[in-house]
Amino acid sequence: MRPWPARVEPQPSGAPPGSLAGTLCLDMLLLVGSEGEGDSRPAAREDEKRWRAWMQRAQTGDREAYSLLLDELAAVIRAFVRKTLGDVPLVDDCVQESLLAIHDARRSYDPRRRFRPWMFAIVRHKTIDAVRRVEVRRRHEVEPADVAGGRDEAPAAERAAEARRALQGLAEPFREALVLTKYEGYTIDEAAARAGISATAMKTRVHRALRRVRRLLEEQET
Amino acid sequence: MARDPLIDRLADDLEPVSPPAPTAAVFAGWLALAWTGVVALTLATGPLRPGAFGQLAASPRFLAECGLGLLAGTLALAAALRLAVPGVTSPRRAAPLALGAFAAWLALHLYGLAEPALAPSMAGKREHCFLESLLYAVPALGLGVFVLRRHVVLDRAWTAGLLGAAAATPPAVLMQIACMYDPGHVVTHHLSAVPLVGAAAVLLARRILRSV
């Protein structure tokens, strides 16, 4: 039986993202370094050894080792994000974004180095990204009413126009992925079949398209 | 708990990849190639200042001015390469040493405005030394970007900025012995390329470096 990973224990009382406490929490993360990377407990050392071996095998194309690695990492990342942000809806997004980022970055992992700091640096980066997006979205929703004192009654129409503009700014494959899955309501598999690509590629396109749209909206905001 | 289907999809998508080269090898290789290239370009476009090597031996301050530049560029490169590996360091830890060396390098030349290390002279003046300092940094920067192409860089602005500064240092240091010596001229025509190339690299960071 596989040993259970030395998890970061969840703390349900974490600060909500976007709050001052949440921001301070992120600043602390940046200053102090990543959770668990300097962990010298035997269980953490075991995790390190196992994960590094699995990642090395994954780099050679071993899918079984990669599945085992991602399974354990998903649980650890979830606990880490919960501990950092609290039990918020953002957690699932952070876990998925982190797994995709680890997948994209796997060729940059040097097996001569420790795995935990590499992995937690990526997870921290994605978590901070996600919180910043929430912060920007929240400002976007609150500020017009504050400034206009209720005068601006049509922010939804304005936001829809901005979203349309952002959508137009996407490359065709990414626009198609978003239109199929978010506007026309196809599942990932159905959308993949329609686009003639694998489901994984469609999932990746949707994630990247969403990320790009968020960035475009943030740029419009600033 | 149900397994995330994303994991199965990512595992299905898995293809073999080769891990990156060791940082120490990249560091040594970049220094060797960048310096060789800059020396070759500098010599191809004009001679070194007559008596420059004698001045290096005769004036410890002039030697320090050149040595500090060499040190600052090397530290900037080391910081950039370490920053390019997730989890190794952060800009707060990596950058101060290199920035401190650059500040000391500049300070030494600013002190030289009042007390020059060598007697200022027009001997060896190159007509386009500022342009040369900028242009010779480009291949070195390109080389750095090339070797970092397989990395995911989490802090692209700092990494690119330090890489740009490191790339602009060899031409700036070489101009110390290739072009005329006057501390004011050195600051405005040679050293100024370092922050300029660093800033340009920061502006281009999102285009030249890959992140997640």
Side-chain angles (χ1 to χ4, degrees), chain B residues 100-118:
Chain B
F102 278 122
W105 192 30
L106 178 64
L108 203 56
H109 284 90
L110 293 178
Y111 174 70
L113 293 172
E115 293 279 337
L118 304 172

Side-chain angles (χ1 to χ4, degrees), chain B residues 119-187:
Chain B
S121 152
M122 296 284 281
K125 178 169 170 50
R126 288 177 168 233
E127 285 305 316
H128 306 292
C129 58
F130 175 65
L131 203 58
E132 284 183 271
S133 300
L134 284 176
L135 289 181
Y136 297 170
V138 174
L141 179 60
L143 179 66
V145 171
F146 177 77
V147 296
L148 291 185
R149 77 197 184 286
R150 55 187 308 123
H151 289 248
V152 290
V153 181
L154 299 185
D155 206 312
R156 286 187 283 193
W158 273 105
T159 307
L162 287 164
L163 190 62
T169 303
V173 171
L174 218 61
M175 283 299 156
Q176 300 261 75
I177 56 172
C179 188
M180 61 176 272
Y181 182 84
D182 174 72
H185 176 83
V186 170
V187 171

Side-chain angles (χ1 to χ4, degrees), chain B residues 32-120:
Chain B
L33 285 172
W35 275 94
T36 305
V38 170
V39 168
L41 283 168
T42 307
L43 291 177
T45 49
L48 299 181
R49 184 173 70 240
F53 288 110
Q55 291 169 330
L56 277 174
S59 169
R61 270 220 6 241
F62 181 55
L63 184 66
E65 284 176 358
C66 295
L68 209 48
L70 189 70
L71 177 71
T74 308
L75 289 173
L77 175 68
L81 293 181
R82 283 169 59 75
L83 272 175
V85 183
V88 169
T89 188
S90 66
R92 283 188 177 93
R93 288 178 192 152
L97 199 58
L99 294 181
F102 278 122
W105 192 30
L106 178 64
L108 203 56
H109 284 90
L110 293 178
Y111 174 70
L113 293 172
E115 293 279 337
L118 304 172

Side-chain angles (χ1 to χ4, degrees), chain A residues 43-62:
Chain A
R45 280 202 301 271
E46 280 302 310
D47 288 347
E48 168 65 34
K49 207 170 141 186
R50 195 169 60 254
W51 293 343
R52 192 193 298 201
W54 280 340
M55 185 49 121
Q56 265 184 284
R57 283 168 54 192
Q59 286 182 325
T60 65
D62 184 335

Side-chain angles (χ1 to χ4, degrees), chain A residues 59 67 103 112-113 200, chain B residues 3 9 13 17 20 23 150:
Chain A
Q59 286 182 325
S67 292
H103 181 73
R112 290 167 290 254
R113 292 184 183 275
T200 311
Chain B
R3 184 179 183 173
R9 289 179 184 137
D13 190 42
V17 290
T23 306
R150 55 187 308 123

